[in-house]
């Protein structure tokens, strides 16, 4: 890991909000692409935070401070990410975090990147019930709708399976493509529930979204 990426990751790990903001500004000023700052720096820090939480080396208040540090940096990076590639409309998406789950950093990042790459994105936010998602699909004035669902916990991930069943029961399967992500989501889970794709990060999410909506 290059020095600046390590410094960004360390600032998140040590819950250093001001340091994270300063390092983010420094990296941008030096010409580091916003997405690299997130994926090679800040997100790597968040991975370590998650591992330390699991082993009992960090506690919830500290995770909240790390999340605040990452969110503060994201506010600076958002305008850079949103600049886009000027491409034609790539389609309509509905993004949301499953019911029972309030982890929104990754979903917001994916939504921003999709918006920057030609998608029109309706953001439903966190803790979203499946009924709300299905209603939004029915209301959508679009030939095809891409669902961009996130679940960061094994418990909330189960809601994705229920959502696929509800989509079938409500007769809207032909109208939607379903891309789900979040740390516990794997390709085998996607295959098991009959969804259309997953991605490990926001850059890959754009590629997968374009592929399944083509
Ligand atoms: Co939270 N938490 N947390 N947490 N948390 C996790 C998720 C654990 C894995 C930590 C652990 O135990 N190792 C764990 C879940 C365990 C499990 O179920 N297997 C956990 C737990 C248990 C909890 C609480 C229950 C803790 C408690 O209260 N005792 C509680 C749950 C609250 C709730 O949701 N009801 C909780 C709370 C919190 C906060 C509030 C302190 C904070 C969230 C703040 C926020 O989001 N506004 C938090 C955080 C920050 C984390 C970790 C440390 C980081 C998550 C994160 O933001 N990563 C996380 C550990 C981990 O994930 N390894 C831990 C950075 C982003 C950029 O990555 O993976 O979210 P991402 O998104 C990627 C990628 O997945 C993909 O692209 C994104 C961008 O690159 N992607 C998609 C995401 N969505 C996609 C959708 C698509 O269609 C395609 C791709």
């Amino acid at each position: 890991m290059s020095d600046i990426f390590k410094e960004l990751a360390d600032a998140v790990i040590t819950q250093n909000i001001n340091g994270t903001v300063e390092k983010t500004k420094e990296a941008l000023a030096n010409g580091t692409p916003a997405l690299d700052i997130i994926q090679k720096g800040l997100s790597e820090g968040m991975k370590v935070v998650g591992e330390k939480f699991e082993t009992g080396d960090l506690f919830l208040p500290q995770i909240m401070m790390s999340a605040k540090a990452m969110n503060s940096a994201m506010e600076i990076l958002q305008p850079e990410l949103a600049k886009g590639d000027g491409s034609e409309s790539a389609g309509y998406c509905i993004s949301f975090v499953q019911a029972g789950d309030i982890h929104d950093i990754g979903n917001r990042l994916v939504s921003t990147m999709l918006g920057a790459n030609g998608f029109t994105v309706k953001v439903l936010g966190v803790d979203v019930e499946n009924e709300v998602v299905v209603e939004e699909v029915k209301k959508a004035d679009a030939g095809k709708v891409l669902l961009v669902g996130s679940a960061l916990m094994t418990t909330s991930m189960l809601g994705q399976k229920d959502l696929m069943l509800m989509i079938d029961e409500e007769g809207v399967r032909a109208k939607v493509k379903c891309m789900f992500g979040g740390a516990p989501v794997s390709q085998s889970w996607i295959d098991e529930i009959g969804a259309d794709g997953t991605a490990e990060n926001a850059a890959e999410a754009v590629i997968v979204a374009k592929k399944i909506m083509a």
Side-chain angles (χ1 to χ4, degrees):
M1 203 191 286
S2 90
D3 279 355
I4 188 64
F5 296 134
K6 187 178 179 321
E7 285 167 7
L8 284 158
D10 284 346
V12 171
I13 296 164
T14 55
Q15 307 114 45
N16 181 350
I17 297 172
N18 289 340
T20 307
V21 167
E22 287 316 312
K23 286 291 158 200
T24 298
K25 286 182 180 166
E26 185 186 315
L28 267 183
N30 290 339
T32 313
L35 196 57
D36 283 355
I37 294 175
I38 294 168
Q39 290 187 173
K40 297 181 182 170
L42 304 170
S43 293
E44 288 300 315
M46 279 308 247
K47 266 188 212 158
V48 175
V49 169
E51 286 158 14
K52 284 182 180 283
F53 180 60
E54 212 158 12
T55 54
D57 293 315
L58 283 180
F59 298 97
L60 202 55
Q62 293 159 311
I63 301 193
M64 289 171 89
M65 294 303 278
S66 290
K68 200 168 176 187
M70 175 135 186
N71 275 331
S72 305
M74 293 286 287
E75 272 172 37
I76 298 165
L77 297 169
Q78 203 87 10
E80 293 299 316
L81 293 173
K83 276 180 183 161
D85 63 359
S87 57
E88 292 292 303
S89 175
Y92 182 72
C93 316
I94 296 173
S95 92
F96 57 95
V97 180
Q98 284 296 143
D101 198 329
I102 60 162
H103 296 88
D104 69 344
I105 298 174
N107 187 265
R108 286 203 287 150
L109 179 53
V110 171
S111 303
T112 302
M113 286 296 291
L114 288 172
N117 284 276
F119 286 89
T120 302
V121 188
K122 172 139 191 190
V123 178
L124 300 183
V126 297
D127 192 16
V128 180
E129 297 291 344
N130 287 339
E131 288 78 3
V132 175
V133 176
V134 171
E135 276 316 303
E136 286 293 334
V137 170
K138 287 181 181 169
K139 273 196 309 197
D141 183 19
K144 191 74 92 185
V145 176
L146 176 67
L147 292 185
V148 182
S150 303
L152 266 283
M153 299 188 294
T154 41
T155 44
S156 56
M157 186 180 77
L158 298 176
Q160 295 173 339
K161 187 173 189 172
D162 296 336
L163 177 58
M164 293 309 296
L165 292 172
M166 193 180 284
I167 283 169
D168 265 339
E169 282 164 13
E170 295 290 320
V172 289
R173 185 64 181 98
K175 191 180 178 182
V176 287
K177 292 285 178 185
C178 305
M179 178 173 73
F180 296 137
V185 177
S186 62
Q187 186 58 50
S188 62
W189 172 249
I190 294 297
D191 295 340
E192 182 185 330
I193 66 174
D196 300 298
T198 184
E200 287 203 354
N201 55 50
E204 196 188 318
V206 173
I207 296 168
V208 172
K210 287 195 167 172
K211 197 169 149 196
I212 63 182
M213 287 292 273

